[in-house]
Amino acid sequence: MTTMAAMFGAVPLAIGFGEGAELRRPLGLTIVGGLLVSQLLTLYTTPVIYLYLDRFRLWVRRPWRIRRRQSADEGLLEPGE
């Protein structure tokens, strides 16, 4: 929402006419383009980073689960078997 408000606030700079518009138009285009690209990157990269972190968490926990299973299996065996 904040990005959209800032982008819409810079639209008059990007499409402005009149005296001095040739100096303000590149600034407006840069602001609008930068906000648009950063918003798209954020919307696509944030979920991907969360998925990778979740996979990393599961990968890190895996050895402990295997060790716990092995120790539980060893505890079920009777001595001498």
Side-chain angles (χ1 to χ4, degrees):
M1 293 286 285
T2 306
T3 303
M4 294 300 283
M7 191 167 52
F8 286 138
V11 166
L13 278 174
I15 60 172
F17 298 104
E19 195 173 320
E22 65 275 354
L23 295 175
R24 290 189 300 262
R25 189 171 296 142
L27 176 66
L29 289 173
T30 303
I31 292 171
V32 171
L35 288 171
L36 185 66
V37 169
S38 69
Q39 184 69 32
L40 290 175
L41 283 174
T42 302
L43 287 174
Y44 284 114
T45 57
T46 302
V48 170
I49 289 171
Y50 276 109
L51 285 173
Y52 283 141
L53 286 175
D54 188 47
R55 288 179 186 168
F56 178 72
R57 178 185 59 90
L58 294 174
W59 179 76
V60 167
R61 288 181 60 191
R62 187 171 182 213
W64 283 283
R65 258 189 279 148
I66 291 172
R67 287 183 195 147
R68 195 175 342 154
R69 234 184 257 147
Q70 287 174 351
S71 63
D73 290 343
E74 289 170 1
L76 294 175
L77 295 175
E78 294 285 330
E81 285 187 12

